Amino acid sequence: MDSKKLQALFPEGHFSDEPSADDGHFTLTTDQGFFLLEKNSLTPKEQQLIALFAPQAPAENPARDHHWYRILFEGEPATATVSIRVIQIRLRTQGSFLQKEWLSEIKDMFLQLADSFFISETELILVEEKAATNYPVEEIFGLFQALDSDFDLYTQVFIGAFHHEPALLAANFQEERRIFQRELTASTRQKEFPFTRSAISFFISDPVKKSPLMNSLYREWFSDSEMVAILRALWENQGNVSSAAKELFLHRNTVLYRIDKFQEATRLDLKNMDDLVFCHLLIEVFAEQ
């Protein structure tokens, strides 16, 4: 199949080096590898046409042996009485990969791990129960960074929110999965995907990108890459100028001077969190273009 025409017809799809073992996707063979299309993103008529002209070969799926796979992907009723969160991991390997040892390390890390299974050769799902021993999000990212170094891997990790209602677990997970897939398509280099930041990007990115006003303000306000770096540091340090200057290896007075010039030009007040949030939004949406 012609990959360019396929991407134009289905912009929500994405390319992969491997077919998907997920029943929720169509896998189409193209001149650039495999093109994965989420079935829920298609109309019933589109699904029928694809099934007719590009039939899917049945594939063995060891993940089906896992109770939580059947809950999350096949709609099997959940009987959970505690909150769970799903951690999604995309990994790239370099040469030989000590998968069993890597999984053993992960199971030792997560004391409340309810289940773990691969849905493809490069995608791992972790289901974690809520407890006092759960790691904070940033610590989880740090642990995977350390494992990447130890096992010569490159992992991209999405940490979902905790969910409690059994009837909604699968639907909530599938929406988180769409968010993660969208984030992976938008940024192949990013490694850490916390739920809140990814969800904000997913739900506001397209409307902001399509706004002539937002495009215009970004071009007018953020032509200076050094000021973009200062604003990012301010955001990450909750508006604390001293901490931002330290992170950027700049003198505090230098940062204050640049902030004053920016505020004079834009009439914003970066001590006002609404103004700082607005700057952060524009930078996050447009800076990678």
Side-chain angles (χ1 to χ4, degrees):
M1 286 189 181
D2 188 313
S3 56
K4 291 183 179 179
K5 290 181 180 178
L6 200 57
Q7 184 75 81
L9 284 170
F10 301 105
E12 66 274 21
H14 66 280
F15 290 95
S16 172
D17 293 332
E18 300 169 357
S20 175
D22 179 359
D23 291 340
H25 285 81
F26 284 115
T27 299
L28 307 179
T29 304
T30 76
D31 54 348
Q32 288 190 17
F34 298 101
F35 187 72
L36 308 187
L37 263 176
E38 187 176 351
K39 292 180 181 178
N40 287 342
S41 69
L42 305 172
T43 65
K45 190 171 184 179
E46 287 173 334
Q47 292 189 38
Q48 292 173 9
L49 285 171
I50 291 174
L52 179 64
F53 291 105
Q56 306 293 292
E60 293 184 6
N61 185 3
R64 291 200 75 255
D65 295 335
H66 291 260
H67 177 55
W68 275 102
Y69 174 87
R70 298 193 300 273
I71 291 173
L72 297 175
F73 288 93
E74 297 183 347
E76 183 172 300
T79 57
T81 57
V82 297
S83 297
I84 64 103
R85 69 178 169 190
V86 181
I87 299 173
Q88 303 177 58
I89 303 163
R90 171 73 63 85
L91 62 147
R92 302 177 200 164
T93 61
Q94 302 288 337
S96 59
F97 171 40
L98 301 175
Q99 186 183 96
K100 289 184 179 179
E101 291 81 356
W102 182 68
L103 284 173
S104 178
E105 292 283 347
I106 289 175
K107 290 175 181 177
D108 287 342
M109 283 166 35
F110 291 94
L111 302 179
Q112 300 300 323
L113 196 62
D115 203 356
S116 64
F117 48 86
F118 279 92
I119 58 173
S120 74
E121 290 187 11
T122 60
E123 294 178 278
L124 176 68
I125 298 293
L126 304 178
V127 181
E128 184 185 25
E129 295 181 350
K130 189 175 185 180
T133 54
N134 297 130
Y135 289 112
V137 170
E138 290 304 320
E139 285 190 32
I140 293 175
F141 290 138
L143 291 168
F144 276 101
Q145 288 275 18
L147 286 178
D148 281 3
S149 178
D150 291 342
F151 287 86
D152 195 20
L153 296 176
Y154 184 89
T155 56
Q156 295 172 287
V157 181
F158 177 94
I159 301 176
F162 278 103
H163 302 289
H164 181 69
E165 296 181 68
L168 297 177
L169 289 178
N172 289 337
F173 164 72
Q174 290 297 335
E175 188 153 12
E176 289 183 351
R177 183 154 174 75
R178 286 193 289 274
I179 292 171
F180 185 36
Q181 295 298 324
R182 168 69 176 276
E183 289 287 87
L184 288 173
T185 302
S187 177
T188 58
R189 294 172 298 185
Q190 185 175 330
K191 290 176 63 65
E192 302 172 357
F193 298 89
F195 169 74
T196 49
R197 187 177 69 199
S198 298
I200 289 171
S201 173
F202 181 83
F203 289 110
I204 69 173
S205 181
D206 281 349
V208 174
K209 283 182 178 178
K210 293 175 182 176
S211 165
L213 171 62
M214 299 297 104
N215 275 271
S216 174
L217 287 175
Y218 178 77
R219 291 194 302 272
E220 291 174 12
W221 290 356
F222 305 115
S223 59
D224 182 351
S225 60
E226 186 177 347
M227 192 62 221
V228 169
I230 289 173
L231 285 162
R232 277 180 161 154
L234 275 177
W235 172 259
E236 290 168 1
N237 290 279
Q238 293 82 48
N240 187 299
V241 175
S242 297
S243 298
K246 184 177 180 180
E247 182 178 307
L248 295 167
F249 300 101
L250 294 174
H251 194 281
R252 185 175 184 275
N253 289 342
T254 301
V255 174
L256 284 171
Y257 173 77
R258 297 303 304 275
I259 289 173
D260 287 343
K261 296 291 288 184
F262 177 79
Q263 293 180 151
E264 182 181 342
T266 61
R267 294 300 190 268
L268 296 176
D269 179 3
L270 297 182
K271 293 179 182 177
N272 182 323
M273 284 306 296
D274 288 342
D275 289 3
L276 185 57
V277 167
F278 190 76
C279 288
H280 173 69
L281 169 63
L282 291 181
I283 290 170
E284 286 300 302
V285 171
F286 292 110
E288 300 301 326
Q289 292 186 353

Short mmCIF file of all heavy atoms in Angstrom, two decimals, residues 67 70-71 74-80 166-167 169:
data_model
loop_
_atom_site.label_atom_id
_atom_site.label_comp_id
_atom_site.label_asym_id
_atom_site.label_seq_id
_atom_site.Cartn_x
_atom_site.Cartn_y
_atom_site.Cartn_z
N HIS A 67 -5.47 -12.11 32.80
CA HIS A 67 -6.81 -11.62 33.18
C HIS A 67 -6.96 -10.13 32.89
O HIS A 67 -7.99 -9.70 32.35
CB HIS A 67 -7.03 -11.92 34.66
CG HIS A 67 -8.32 -11.41 35.20
ND1 HIS A 67 -9.54 -11.73 34.66
CD2 HIS A 67 -8.59 -10.59 36.27
CE1 HIS A 67 -10.50 -11.14 35.35
NE2 HIS A 67 -9.96 -10.44 36.32
N ARG A 70 -7.55 -9.21 29.22
CA ARG A 70 -8.92 -9.43 28.78
C ARG A 70 -9.86 -8.34 29.32
O ARG A 70 -10.83 -7.96 28.66
CB ARG A 70 -9.39 -10.82 29.21
CG ARG A 70 -8.56 -11.95 28.59
CD ARG A 70 -9.22 -13.31 28.77
NE ARG A 70 -9.40 -13.66 30.17
CZ ARG A 70 -8.50 -14.26 30.93
NH1 ARG A 70 -7.31 -14.57 30.42
NH2 ARG A 70 -8.76 -14.56 32.18
N ILE A 71 -9.56 -7.82 30.51
CA ILE A 71 -10.36 -6.72 31.06
C ILE A 71 -10.14 -5.44 30.26
O ILE A 71 -11.10 -4.78 29.84
CB ILE A 71 -10.00 -6.48 32.55
CG1 ILE A 71 -10.47 -7.65 33.41
CG2 ILE A 71 -10.62 -5.17 33.04
CD1 ILE A 71 -10.00 -7.56 34.84
N GLU A 74 -10.50 -6.50 25.98
CA GLU A 74 -11.58 -7.30 25.42
C GLU A 74 -12.91 -7.13 26.16
O GLU A 74 -13.90 -7.79 25.82
CB GLU A 74 -11.18 -8.78 25.41
CG GLU A 74 -9.96 -9.05 24.53
CD GLU A 74 -9.60 -10.52 24.48
OE1 GLU A 74 -10.12 -11.31 25.30
OE2 GLU A 74 -8.79 -10.89 23.61
N GLY A 75 -12.94 -6.28 27.15
CA GLY A 75 -14.20 -6.00 27.83
C GLY A 75 -14.66 -7.02 28.84
O GLY A 75 -15.82 -7.01 29.25
N GLU A 76 -13.75 -7.90 29.26
CA GLU A 76 -14.14 -8.87 30.30
C GLU A 76 -14.46 -8.10 31.59
O GLU A 76 -13.74 -7.16 31.95
CB GLU A 76 -12.99 -9.85 30.54
CG GLU A 76 -13.33 -10.94 31.55
CD GLU A 76 -12.25 -12.01 31.61
OE1 GLU A 76 -11.99 -12.64 30.57
OE2 GLU A 76 -11.65 -12.20 32.70
N PRO A 77 -15.51 -8.45 32.30
CA PRO A 77 -15.88 -7.69 33.51
C PRO A 77 -14.75 -7.68 34.54
O PRO A 77 -14.06 -8.69 34.76
CB PRO A 77 -17.09 -8.45 34.04
CG PRO A 77 -17.65 -9.15 32.85
CD PRO A 77 -16.47 -9.51 32.00
N ALA A 78 -14.56 -6.54 35.15
CA ALA A 78 -13.53 -6.39 36.18
C ALA A 78 -14.15 -6.61 37.55
O ALA A 78 -15.29 -6.22 37.81
CB ALA A 78 -12.91 -5.00 36.11
N THR A 79 -13.40 -7.24 38.43
CA THR A 79 -13.88 -7.48 39.79
C THR A 79 -13.00 -6.75 40.81
O THR A 79 -13.02 -7.08 41.99
CB THR A 79 -13.87 -8.98 40.10
OG1 THR A 79 -12.54 -9.49 39.90
CG2 THR A 79 -14.83 -9.72 39.19
N ALA A 80 -12.22 -5.78 40.34
CA ALA A 80 -11.29 -5.08 41.23
C ALA A 80 -12.04 -4.33 42.33
O ALA A 80 -13.09 -3.74 42.10
CB ALA A 80 -10.44 -4.10 40.43
N PRO A 166 -14.97 -0.29 38.63
CA PRO A 166 -14.68 -1.45 37.76
C PRO A 166 -15.29 -1.35 36.38
O PRO A 166 -14.67 -1.71 35.39
CB PRO A 166 -15.27 -2.63 38.55
CG PRO A 166 -15.26 -2.18 39.97
CD PRO A 166 -15.53 -0.71 39.93
N ALA A 167 -16.51 -0.82 36.28
CA ALA A 167 -17.20 -0.76 35.00
C ALA A 167 -16.53 0.20 34.01
O ALA A 167 -16.75 0.11 32.80
CB ALA A 167 -18.65 -0.35 35.21
N LEU A 169 -13.04 0.88 34.03
CA LEU A 169 -11.59 0.68 33.94
C LEU A 169 -11.13 0.55 32.49
O LEU A 169 -10.15 1.18 32.07
CB LEU A 169 -11.18 -0.56 34.73
CG LEU A 169 -11.26 -0.46 36.25
CD1 LEU A 169 -10.85 -1.80 36.88
CD2 LEU A 169 -10.35 0.65 36.76
#
